[in-house]
Amino acid sequence: MARPRPFVAGNWKMNGLRSSAAEMIRIVQGARALTAVDLMICPPATLLGLFASIVEGSPVRLGAQDCHTQSNGAFTGDISAEMLKDAGASAVIVGHSERRTYHKETDADVRAKGLAARRAGLCAIVCVGETRTERENGRALAVVRTQLEGSIPDGATADNLVVAYEPVWAIGSGLTPTPADVAEMHGSIRQLLRSQFAEEGAGMRILYGGSVKPSNAKELLGIADVDGALVGGASLKADEFLAIAGVYR
Ligand code: PEP
């Protein structure tokens, strides 16, 4: 099967105000030259509506950063997948390590959110990744395998599921795993996807995330079974985000 089409997504986390529209416009303008890669920005939910008008007619898609499992109801402060779709999102990140850590989200929670995303017609970007201690103890592959087995909804397809491997210790730290470690992990994730979803699993995109920047993007994105990147800090600056995505030409 042909390699999946590359995908670079930016996770803005809890950053961005309406004045950030200028940066988003720069991303949209630069994206027109990048025809070999799918591009997405996941801004805070407060900016989805505004950014939807900016990306209209462009190849850039919008994603959200989390969703509730229910479609509506008495859940003060939460946002459903249906609401995100209605606001202009076509995907939602679920199980980011910051949600797993600060909001105590379990694999079962992540799986339920992935199912909610599918119900609403959103692609779920499911994040997994080991801590530094788990890697040092030689448990990285096993930890990620367990996370995937618990987090990925049954019946997923290459259109409604993307996996993001994000070592917790690499997020926002400037540190990255060695290319050999990334290759080993992505190969292991591919194997699991293939065993669970057969040929469909070969077409599912597996992103690497954790301190991706223009200076290391070429090396990281050139590794086998790395089908793109989930970019945090560097996605806040149009120039950096576009330089990372520009590896695919
Ligand atoms: C992230 O939080 O998804 C991420 C990859 O962050 P950073 O690129 O800043 O390490």
Side-chain angles (χ1 to χ4, degrees), residues 197-216:
F197 301 107
E199 261 318 283
E200 191 70 22
M204 289 172 174
R205 286 168 310 180
I206 308 173
L207 311 183
Y208 168 78
S211 295
V212 178
K213 41 194 181 216
S215 59
N216 62 19

Side-chain angles (χ1 to χ4, degrees), residues 86-178:
D86 186 52
S90 57
V92 57
I93 298 169
V94 293
H96 190 282
S97 68
E98 287 151 16
R99 303 276 331 164
R100 290 178 185 263
T101 302
Y102 303 135
H103 298 267
K104 308 279 176 273
E105 290 187 8
T106 63
D107 290 336
D109 295 329
V110 176
R111 185 173 181 281
K113 290 182 179 205
L115 286 168
R118 190 191 306 168
R119 182 190 64 220
L122 298 179
C123 172
I125 303 173
V126 175
C127 298
V128 292
E130 82 284 358
T131 62
R132 177 184 284 283
T133 310
E134 287 162 346
R135 177 154 288 276
E136 284 170 357
N137 292 343
R139 294 177 48 230
L141 291 178
V143 164
V144 166
R145 200 176 176 84
T146 302
Q147 287 178 335
L148 285 170
E149 285 168 351
S151 305
I152 291 184
D154 292 338
T157 68
D159 285 334
N160 65 27
L161 177 77
V162 170
V163 172
Y165 166 57
E166 301 205 303
V168 178
W169 53 273
I171 293 178
S173 65
L175 304 171
T176 53
T178 65

Side-chain angles (χ1 to χ4, degrees), residues 1-238:
M1 186 162 179
R3 226 179 144 161
R5 184 173 156 84
F7 178 36
V8 174
N11 171 15
W12 278 23
K13 311 191 187 194
M14 198 172 73
N15 296 292
L17 300 171
R18 290 175 66 82
S19 55
S20 312
E23 210 61 33
M24 191 65 210
I25 290 168
R26 277 192 279 277
I27 290 174
V28 166
Q29 285 167 343
R32 296 191 197 279
L34 302 176
T35 54
V37 53
D38 290 338
L39 294 176
M40 176 175 285
I41 292 293
C42 304
T46 48
L47 291 178
L48 277 174
L50 174 63
F51 283 13
S53 62
I54 294 173
V55 302
E56 204 177 324
S58 89
V60 181
R61 297 282 168 266
L62 296 177
Q65 300 172 15
D66 179 49
C67 66
H68 195 274
T69 56
Q70 302 295 312
S71 56
N72 61 281
F75 302 102
T76 302
D78 283 316
I79 304 178
S80 73
E82 282 79 358
M83 292 168 170
L84 297 170
K85 168 112 175 159
D86 186 52
S90 57
V92 57
I93 298 169
V94 293
H96 190 282
S97 68
E98 287 151 16
R99 303 276 331 164
R100 290 178 185 263
T101 302
Y102 303 135
H103 298 267
K104 308 279 176 273
E105 290 187 8
T106 63
D107 290 336
D109 295 329
V110 176
R111 185 173 181 281
K113 290 182 179 205
L115 286 168
R118 190 191 306 168
R119 182 190 64 220
L122 298 179
C123 172
I125 303 173
V126 175
C127 298
V128 292
E130 82 284 358
T131 62
R132 177 184 284 283
T133 310
E134 287 162 346
R135 177 154 288 276
E136 284 170 357
N137 292 343
R139 294 177 48 230
L141 291 178
V143 164
V144 166
R145 200 176 176 84
T146 302
Q147 287 178 335
L148 285 170
E149 285 168 351
S151 305
I152 291 184
D154 292 338
T157 68
D159 285 334
N160 65 27
L161 177 77
V162 170
V163 172
Y165 166 57
E166 301 205 303
V168 178
W169 53 273
I171 293 178
S173 65
L175 304 171
T176 53
T178 65
D181 285 343
V182 174
E184 182 184 43
M185 182 62 79
H186 279 241
S188 165
I189 295 171
R190 177 70 67 207
Q191 211 175 34
L192 185 135
L193 293 176
R194 287 191 80 126
S195 70
Q196 195 169 343
F197 301 107
E199 261 318 283
E200 191 70 22
M204 289 172 174
R205 286 168 310 180
I206 308 173
L207 311 183
Y208 168 78
S211 295
V212 178
K213 41 194 181 216
S215 59
N216 62 19
K218 193 160 192 248
E219 181 173 49
L220 288 164
L221 299 182
I223 297 168
D225 281 313
V226 174
D227 305 310
L230 182 53
V231 184
S235 71
L236 290 165
K237 298 209 176 77

